[in-house]
Amino acid sequence: MTPPPPSPRPAAFSLCVYCGSRPGVDGRFLALAEQIGTWIGRHGGRLVYGGGNGGLMGRLADATLAAGGIVIGVMPESLVEREFAKRDCTELHIVQTMHQRKHMMAERADAFLALPGGLGTFEELFEVWTWRQLGYHDKPIGLLNADGYYDGLLAFLTQTVRAGFVGGWQLDLVTVERTPEALLPRLVEAAGWAPTADLRRI
């Protein structure tokens, strides 16, 4: 496949977002994805994501584009039809394997963010988390625990520390917040971009 042309302008920051390819049953999560995409676009950012056109993924990408942001989608060829690849991304990369997909997404990101989602979201979050604790990267990772979606997971992770299988310092590698207003500026600033009052505007 011929590679797409380069992005028309540089981005202020690049945020890799993991989230559901389904809409879920609670419309608040779709609204949340739209809010985050709008924030990325309004602040001159670039969204890196899995390239899907449905669920939270599609809403996130649409909102980023509508707000003037850059959207980089990456999808394995085998999932193009199943996940309804978003053809109007600024760049849509079709790769051969999931490993290539995740590697490209990680390379193009300054920071990582997990929103509500399913098994794929969990797997992607834990992989970049593991990579960080092993020293393969030092990029910030955020978990948006909107409406307590991840309360059960966080309780289980606390249990793994008590059981001695995970160190507290490993949990501290991920920044957890309940609102975009609290989390997004922290991630961008931790990635090396200068803090500004404007970043805190949602």
Side-chain angles (χ1 to χ4, degrees):
M1 179 180 176
T2 303
S7 299
R9 60 177 174 79
F13 58 86
S14 186
L15 186 59
C16 179
V17 181
Y18 306 125
C19 61
S21 60
R22 300 179 181 183
V25 298
D26 189 335
R28 288 178 295 181
F29 293 142
L30 279 172
L32 180 73
E34 183 172 344
Q35 181 182 20
I36 289 168
T38 300
W39 185 91
I40 293 171
R42 284 180 178 171
H43 292 87
R46 179 174 73 174
L47 167 67
V48 180
Y49 86 121
N53 201 31
L56 271 65
M57 293 174 70
R59 185 68 64 89
L60 173 74
D62 282 341
T64 303
L65 289 169
I70 295 168
V71 174
I72 309 298
V74 187
M75 182 174 284
E77 187 174 14
S78 62
L79 296 183
V80 167
E81 299 302 326
R82 187 190 310 176
E83 293 194 0
F84 305 105
K86 187 169 181 56
R87 302 291 184 177
D88 60 340
C89 290
T90 312
E91 297 177 19
L92 177 62
H93 297 267
I94 306 299
V95 297
Q96 294 301 307
T97 68
M98 286 291 289
H99 293 295
Q100 291 173 331
R101 179 197 214 181
K102 291 185 289 185
H103 179 71
M104 181 178 288
M105 289 169 67
E107 275 193 327
R108 290 169 177 253
D110 297 321
F112 304 95
L113 171 64
L115 306 184
L119 295 179
T121 301
F122 308 153
E123 188 266 344
E124 289 167 322
L125 167 64
F126 277 102
E127 183 165 66
V128 293
W129 195 344
T130 301
W131 289 352
R132 183 164 186 193
Q133 65 108 14
L134 292 174
Y136 292 146
H137 74 83
D138 61 356
K139 299 174 182 180
I141 304 169
L143 179 64
L144 188 57
N145 186 26
D147 293 309
Y149 182 79
Y150 285 110
D151 281 352
L153 175 63
L154 294 169
F156 171 70
L157 290 171
T158 299
Q159 179 182 325
T160 67
V161 174
R162 289 198 302 265
F165 289 106
V166 176
W169 67 271
Q170 292 168 293
L171 296 192
D172 291 340
L173 295 176
V174 173
T175 301
V176 181
E177 295 284 1
R178 299 182 76 90
T179 67
E181 296 89 337
L183 183 56
L184 291 171
R186 290 185 64 184
L187 284 181
V188 173
E189 291 166 10
W193 300 95
T196 65
D198 187 58
L199 274 179
R200 303 193 181 279
R201 176 175 54 84
I202 294 295

